[in-house]
Structures are given as C-alpha cells and as structure tokens.
Amino acid sequence: MSALAPPFEKGARTGKVAIGVLEEALQDLSGGLSRPVHILVPSESYRLRSESVIAHAHFNSYPKKSFCKISEEWLVVVPELAFVQHACKASIVELLVVGAEITGSYAVERDSLDGDIEGCGCGFVHSEPLTSLKKIQSYVDRVSGEHGVKNARRALRYIPENCASPMEAVLAILLHAPRSLGGYGLPKPCMNYRIDMSGSAKWLSAKTYYVCDLYWPQAKLCVEYDSNMFHTGPDRIAADSARRTALAQKGITVVSVTGNQIANSVEMDRTALLLAKRLGIRPRVFSYDYRLKQREFRKELFASAGIASRR
C-alpha cells in the first residue's frame, strides 16, 4: 500500500525520529496492513526506511482523485494509481494477474493458498470490482510521464476484465496472451457473459439466463471452467447437462476445461487448438522457440496466481 505521510512536526523530518513518527501514526490505521508499508512523501528529507516503513519521495503532482481519504491524516492511492505504481517494478505477467483481480469480482486470500491447482479455487472470496480497464486506461493517459506507464499500457491490452475467480483469469490469460509472451494468442474472450434464454431454449431449462465463463459472441463459443469444488455431485452434474443442452439449442458450443487440464501444457495445447478451430483461426506450429517462451510464461503466471503447474 502507498499513502501520503501525515504532517511531521518541525525538527522531526530525518533519522530515527521521523521513522518513529511514521510507525506511531501507522498504529492508528485500522485493518491488517502487510509490512513493510510503502509511504509517499513530498521530498528527499522524508525518504526513510525501516523494517516496517519504506518512504518513497515523489516530486510531481498527481491528477485529481488519485487518493482516497481513510483517516484525518492518511490518504491511500486509488486502484488505478496503485496499478501504475506496481507497473514500475512488476513483470508484464504479474501485471496481467493483478489487473484481472482488481477488475474482477473476486479477491484472493493469499494466506489460504496451498500451491494446489484446485486449492486456488478455495482461496478467494466474492468481491466487487475495484476498478475497470476503462478507468485504468483513462488514468494512465493522465499520468503519461510517470514511471511504469509504458508497462501498464502494454498489460492493459491483454488483461481479462470481469473474471469471477483466479482460475478463470489464468485460463483467459493463457488463451489470449500473445505468442510472443508464451500465450496462445486467441482473440480476447468476454468474461462472464450473460446469455438470455428465449424461444425453444427457454423450455429446456428452468433458468431465464446463463452466464458463460469465457465467451466469443461471433463464434457462439463458450468455455466453462469446471472446478472440483463447484462441478461435482449428481445435482451439479445434472445442472451442467441441462445448461449445455439449453445453450446448444441457441447454437452455442460449450467446451469444458478443468484445473488439471490448465495445469498440463499438453492438455492446454489440445484445448487451444480446438478453440482456434472453432474460432476459424488457422492453427500455428508450436516451434521450439515458442515452447521455451511458453514454459517460462506458464511458470511465472502460475507463480503469480499462487498455483502450481505440471509440465
């Protein structure tokens, strides 16, 4: 977290005294802040560091609405500025994961992740989106001179918006990220796309609409992430079957992908080739150079998301 430091008393701007003032002020903030806390300060004289506080000097002014007031003395950066700040040091892959989370309807509980591909599905809670790609893009355009903007702009092209879980985000990133990074370079899917039931399809299901995890409208192609947590048991299997039947009545092809498939690069290759065919895209050869990029991309992507891959 980055925030503006509270006012310092005269003569308490350097050395251990200033650090003590910061640490004492931080005790007044509610909530569990991870340490060290990153603080924005107005000049080099405040640029201090301890085990619990790191102060960063920033000399330029920020656009309006770059901060939210959380107490009488403290301001916290808005998600759009936080994304730009993170882009100063993060890789493009890490930015894709972070971007998907802050524009999605979930929040990762990182302390609960156990490195298991399906364990990630249990390590998140429903949460309203913190921001949107449109808002981030607008903010990036307003701070074009800031460090990290170039990296942020690149990441914005490939971030899947409106994901409902970490695994949906990972799947979408794998499929859409460019081959130059190690992804499959498929067109960007719409995430959690609503399909209203009408006509004969309405009679095949008790529901008035369904939500597709990943959807390509022009191809009428739906990809569903089937987790072990939510897609097992007789009732769930029956509901999934009714869903596929109703969507098929509307001419929509449904492809299911499991966590084990995502974790296995060979299985994901097969899935990507199938989807490319359905999207009318000519399959491209998986060259040796691409395989090297793919291996590194998957390794970093899964590490950033807190899950493990196989092969």
Side-chain angles (χ1 to χ4, degrees):
M1 181 186 104
S2 295
L4 287 181
F8 290 103
E9 295 180 4
K10 193 172 182 179
R13 298 188 175 186
T14 58
K16 295 182 179 179
V17 177
I19 284 292
V21 171
L22 282 173
E23 292 178 340
E24 182 179 350
L26 283 171
Q27 298 301 319
D28 298 331
L29 293 179
S30 61
L33 298 178
S34 60
R35 296 296 192 268
V37 176
H38 293 263
I39 305 296
L40 283 176
V41 293
S43 69
E44 287 288 348
S45 61
Y46 294 104
R47 196 170 183 173
L48 308 166
R49 179 185 293 263
S50 74
E51 292 183 358
S52 59
V53 179
I54 298 177
H56 304 270
H58 190 274
F59 309 103
N60 300 324
S61 60
Y62 284 106
K64 291 182 178 180
K65 299 182 179 180
S66 291
F67 301 89
C68 292
K69 192 171 185 178
I70 58 174
S71 73
E72 288 301 317
E73 295 181 318
W74 290 89
L75 303 172
V76 63
V77 299
V78 296
E80 296 80 21
L81 174 53
F83 184 78
V84 173
Q85 290 177 331
H86 195 56
C88 294
K89 59 180 181 179
S91 69
I92 184 71
V93 178
E94 187 178 352
L95 283 178
L96 296 181
V97 174
V98 171
E101 183 175 352
I102 64 176
T103 62
S105 58
Y106 67 94
V108 174
E109 297 179 319
R110 287 176 171 80
D111 291 341
S112 68
L113 300 184
D114 58 9
D116 181 2
I117 194 79
E118 291 291 349
C120 184
C122 302
F124 71 95
V125 294
H126 176 75
S127 174
E128 292 300 316
L130 297 177
T131 184
S132 66
L133 292 183
K134 184 178 181 180
K135 288 181 179 180
I136 299 175
Q137 183 64 67
S138 176
Y139 190 85
V140 165
D141 292 340
R142 293 163 60 199
V143 292
S144 57
E146 286 289 318
H147 294 298
V149 163
K150 183 177 180 181
N151 208 21
R153 281 200 175 113
R154 185 188 179 199
L156 284 170
R157 297 164 57 188
Y158 308 111
I159 293 172
E161 186 177 27
N162 198 34
C163 298
S165 73
M167 288 304 297
E168 281 185 14
V170 167
L171 177 58
I173 291 170
L174 279 172
L175 294 174
H176 178 55
R179 290 173 63 90
S180 59
L181 282 178
Y184 292 105
L186 298 182
K188 194 172 191 176
C190 299
M191 303 302 297
N192 291 286
Y193 190 90
R194 174 170 168 157
I195 304 290
D196 291 312
M197 293 292 104
S198 59
S200 58
K202 187 175 182 179
W203 296 101
L204 294 174
S205 173
K207 293 195 174 184
T208 57
Y209 70 90
Y210 288 104
V211 176
C212 296
D213 293 344
L214 290 75
Y215 189 66
W216 290 265
Q218 292 184 336
K220 288 191 172 183
L221 176 62
C222 168
V223 170
E224 291 291 300
Y225 168 61
D226 289 350
S227 69
N228 290 339
M229 184 177 183
F230 299 112
H231 292 267
T232 55
D235 292 341
R236 184 68 257 182
I237 292 173
D240 288 344
S241 177
R243 171 196 183 91
R244 290 188 179 90
T245 301
L247 291 175
Q249 186 65 26
K250 293 183 70 68
I252 297 173
T253 301
V254 179
V255 176
S256 296
V257 179
T258 66
N260 288 334
Q261 285 177 286
I262 295 173
N264 189 303
S265 61
V266 175
E267 291 296 325
M268 272 305 301
D269 285 349
R270 293 169 180 162
T271 300
L273 288 172
L274 171 62
L275 296 178
K277 183 178 180 180
R278 296 287 186 180
L279 292 168
I281 299 173
R282 184 177 179 180
R284 298 177 62 181
V285 177
F286 295 137
S287 64
Y288 178 74
D289 181 59
Y290 170 76
R291 288 299 189 194
L292 293 178
K293 292 178 180 178
Q294 182 191 52
R295 187 177 300 114
E296 291 303 312
F297 176 67
R298 288 172 57 86
K299 180 179 179 181
E300 185 176 0
L301 175 61
F302 293 150
S304 297
I307 59 180
S309 66
R310 306 183 187 93
R311 287 197 284 177

